[in-house]
């Protein structure tokens, strides 16, 4: 496989469920990101990992818990979500962070996981 | 604070028409980067172009062209002779040095529909 792969593509869960979203990149990148895409809103950055360490957490509720076991994998653990958390969750990766290079690095995105919270 | 405005929520054109997608940005950084991404129905955002704030040359790539004007803080995107496959949501994004961590600020996107 190539690029950034996200599973599952679609997920429906109740507010009391616990589920996880998975992201895998095959590009040899060392930075990974979670974005939330809601209708009519700009993409919201949730978490950034560089070399498996979290470097940014944008005031995301604790019901979202990221995990980056290695530079190729990123998870988003979900528990006790609310209906307003329904959205498309996009994973992305890049080679290096913006601040580490002379130019802003291009992100490669996955196709997203469409989450519906009932 | 950074901000990207894409005032056009949705544009419909007939195939072979030219179409321009507008992008206006705000930043206090003197060095910054502007991007355009395309999101087809399949969901993944596809990188189209990156431009740094010191390079105001317009760029053409096939049917795509970009007009960067610092004086008006705009980075507009034109598709010439549009095709049905161009139908997608297009996002303009901004990354400034103060953002750090490759924090892209996205606009709300413009849905482009190209019909036969």
């Amino acid at each position: 496989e190539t690029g950034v792969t996200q599973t599952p593509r679609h997920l429906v869960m109740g507010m009391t469920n616990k589920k996880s979203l998975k992201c895998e990149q095959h590009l040899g990148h060392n930075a990974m990101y979670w974005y939330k895409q809601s209708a009519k809103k700009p993409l919201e950055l949730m978490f950034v990992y560089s070399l498996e360490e979290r470097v940014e957490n944008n005031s995301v509720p604790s019901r979202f818990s990221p995990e980056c076991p290695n530079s190729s994998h990123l998870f988003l653990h979900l528990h006790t979500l609310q209906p307003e958390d329904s959205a498309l969750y996009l994973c992305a990766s890049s080679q290096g962070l913006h601040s580490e290079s002379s130019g802003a690095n291009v992100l490669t995105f996955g196709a997203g996981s469409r989450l519906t919270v009932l | 604070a950074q901000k990207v405005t894409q005032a056009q929520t949705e544009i419909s054109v007939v195939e072979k028409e030219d179409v321009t997608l507008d992008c206006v940005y705000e930043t206090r950084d003197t060095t910054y980067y502007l991007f355009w991404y395309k999101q087809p129905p399949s969901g993944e955002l596809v990188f189209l172009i990156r431009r740094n704030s010191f390079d105001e040359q317009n760029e053409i790539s096939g049917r795509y062209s970009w007009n960067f004007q610092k004086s008006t803080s705009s980075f507009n995107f034109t598709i010439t002779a549009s095709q049905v496959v161009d139908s997608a949501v297009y996002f303009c994004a901004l990354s400034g040095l103060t953002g750090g961590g490759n924090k892209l600020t996205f606009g709300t996107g413009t849905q482009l529909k190209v019909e036969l």
Side-chain angles (χ1 to χ4, degrees):
Chain A
E1 291 201 48
T2 59
V4 179
T5 304
Q6 290 187 243
T7 54
R9 292 296 310 276
H10 299 274
L11 177 63
V12 179
M13 59 187 290
M15 290 193 284
T16 58
N17 291 156
K18 287 186 181 181
K19 297 285 183 183
S20 295
L21 306 181
K22 178 183 176 182
C23 175
E24 185 173 2
Q25 58 96 1
H26 306 271
L27 300 166
H29 290 167
N30 56 20
M32 297 186 77
Y33 312 76
W34 279 116
Y35 278 87
K36 177 183 179 182
Q37 184 178 17
S38 305
K40 311 295 183 188
K41 288 185 175 182
L43 272 73
E44 302 171 49
L45 178 64
M46 300 175 72
F47 301 104
V48 181
Y49 277 82
S50 175
L51 299 171
E52 299 128 54
E53 288 202 15
R54 191 189 310 180
V55 297
E56 185 142 355
N57 174 355
N58 266 9
S59 302
V60 179
S62 58
R63 56 185 184 270
F64 294 93
S65 174
E67 180 189 0
C68 188
N70 54 62
S71 59
S72 298
H73 293 85
L74 185 65
F75 294 89
L76 188 62
H77 303 300
L78 317 169
H79 63 98
T80 59
L81 293 191
Q82 305 297 311
E84 60 264 29
D85 296 323
S86 298
L88 181 67
Y89 288 85
L90 290 162
C91 174
S93 69
S94 66
Q95 184 52 37
L97 295 172
H98 173 94
S99 56
E100 295 173 351
S101 72
S102 59
N105 294 307
V106 173
L107 270 60
T108 301
F109 284 84
S113 293
R114 173 73 61 187
L115 173 67
T116 302
V117 182
L118 302 176
Chain B
Q2 299 180 156
K3 185 178 179 182
V4 175
T5 301
Q6 294 180 257
Q8 303 151 308
T9 305
E10 187 172 320
I11 301 175
S12 288
V13 298
V14 176
E15 204 175 34
K16 297 184 183 174
E17 284 185 11
D18 299 346
V19 58
T20 295
L21 309 181
D22 297 332
C23 173
V24 175
Y25 63 91
E26 297 175 29
T27 180
R28 278 182 268 185
D29 289 318
T30 53
T31 301
Y32 52 89
Y33 297 84
L34 294 161
F35 301 77
W36 275 95
Y37 281 86
K38 172 183 179 180
Q39 186 178 38
S42 54
E44 78 281 8
L45 273 76
V46 177
F47 166 75
L48 295 178
I49 189 171
R50 173 184 61 200
R51 178 51 52 87
N52 75 55
S53 51
F54 296 107
D55 182 3
E56 286 194 71
Q57 278 192 334
N58 291 329
E59 181 156 339
I60 298 174
S61 176
R63 296 184 296 107
Y64 295 170
S65 62
W66 290 269
N67 183 355
F68 176 30
Q69 295 201 339
K70 256 175 127 170
S71 59
T72 56
S73 297
S74 65
F75 188 43
N76 296 337
F77 173 31
T78 297
I79 301 175
T80 303
S82 60
Q83 299 176 2
V84 172
V85 294
D86 296 326
S87 297
V89 181
Y90 290 86
F91 291 93
C92 181
L94 166 69
S95 178
L97 284 180
T98 55
N102 213 64
K103 184 174 182 176
L104 286 180
T105 299
F106 284 86
T108 50
T110 297
Q111 170 86 57
L112 174 64
K113 293 184 179 178
V114 181
E115 299 165 333
L116 292 170

